[in-house]
Amino acid sequence: MQPDSLQSQNQLLIRQRIRMMVNQYEVHAVAPDGSEGPLLAFAQQKRLAFKEQVTIYTDDSKQYPLLGFRARQRLDLGATYDVTDHAGTPIGLFRKDFAQSLLRSTWHVEQPGLPQITGQERSLPVALLRRFVDSLSWLPYHFDFVAGGQPVFSVVKKWGLRDRYVVQIQHPQVDRRLVIAMAVGLDALQAR
């Protein structure tokens, strides 16, 4: 996938592959009829790593890295994750807002040239149920990311045996690589 083609995407489909020792995610374009289009990226995260790191490749052969994100510190309840391109050049960052996340998960996304983007679980009742009723922790969560009161992107988890997400991108200048990193991070890091 060429960077210009990736940047032109306004909707993405992300689904998790079920594997024993790693978390893997496929990122697909959306076809004109709304079905799953071509593979745009493939992400892999080792489980039980001391310092969270996820590499996102151009495809599932894992030959060509596209981007990655890595925690700045080993253990941090409000960890910051730096997002870099394949050469290690910074794209942006995202971090969990620990205090606000006690009731409703909240993330902040930063990209040079754009105001800070804040993403929060859409439904407070669902957020509270997921936190305080253990048997309902499987409920899907949806995030809306905004900057200056304007929508930037959203991540909607779909029902199913494996995790699937629809990502809608409204802001033309937000880097799609940063959006992909945050969307994958929501699944890979949300329970931490």
Side-chain angles (χ1 to χ4, degrees):
M1 171 62 54
Q2 296 299 319
D4 290 343
S5 298
L6 182 59
Q7 193 61 26
S8 70
Q9 303 296 314
N10 292 320
Q11 188 175 33
L12 304 168
L13 300 175
I14 300 176
R15 73 181 144 93
Q16 183 178 25
R17 287 184 180 177
I18 299 175
R19 299 291 185 261
M20 292 296 287
M21 299 306 294
V22 295
N23 285 329
Q24 294 181 334
Y25 303 89
E26 296 176 0
V27 180
H28 290 267
V30 176
D33 66 358
S35 66
E36 184 175 285
L39 182 69
L40 300 174
F42 178 79
Q44 181 166 305
Q45 172 206 28
K46 290 182 183 176
R47 292 185 186 156
L48 305 173
F50 285 111
K51 192 171 186 179
E52 293 295 339
Q53 180 174 349
V54 175
T55 304
I56 301 171
Y57 301 91
T58 55
D59 60 34
D60 59 0
S61 72
K62 299 184 281 185
Q63 289 183 313
Y64 305 104
L66 179 63
L67 67 130
F69 62 88
R70 181 182 184 122
R72 288 185 180 173
Q73 297 173 309
R74 287 188 183 185
L75 294 175
D76 184 4
L77 297 174
T80 297
Y81 298 87
D82 292 303
V83 181
T84 58
D85 70 8
H86 69 284
T89 305
I91 295 171
L93 62 88
F94 60 88
R95 63 183 164 79
K96 190 168 191 174
D97 187 321
F98 178 73
Q100 285 191 349
S101 293
L102 291 174
L103 293 179
R104 186 189 284 185
S105 293
T106 302
W107 293 82
H108 300 289
V109 181
E110 296 179 20
Q111 176 183 322
L114 293 181
Q116 180 173 285
I117 302 163
T118 300
Q120 192 170 55
E121 283 183 271
R122 184 177 294 163
S123 171
L124 180 59
V126 170
L128 293 172
L129 284 171
R130 285 188 335 97
R131 281 162 181 71
F132 299 116
V133 181
D134 285 338
S135 63
L136 297 177
S137 62
W138 53 268
L139 283 172
Y141 46 83
H142 312 308
F143 281 81
D144 294 311
F145 289 82
V146 299
Q150 297 299 311
V152 178
F153 66 97
S154 62
V155 180
V156 175
K157 186 174 183 180
K158 296 295 188 182
W159 292 90
L161 291 176
R162 38 182 194 172
D163 294 339
R164 295 179 312 125
Y165 302 88
V166 174
V167 179
Q168 294 282 347
I169 305 164
Q170 294 91 359
H171 195 291
Q173 282 129 2
V174 67
D175 193 315
R176 285 4 182 214
R177 298 169 299 174
L178 187 58
V179 172
I180 290 170
M182 182 73 255
V184 168
L186 285 175
D187 187 89
L189 308 169
Q190 184 59 24
R192 295 189 170 100

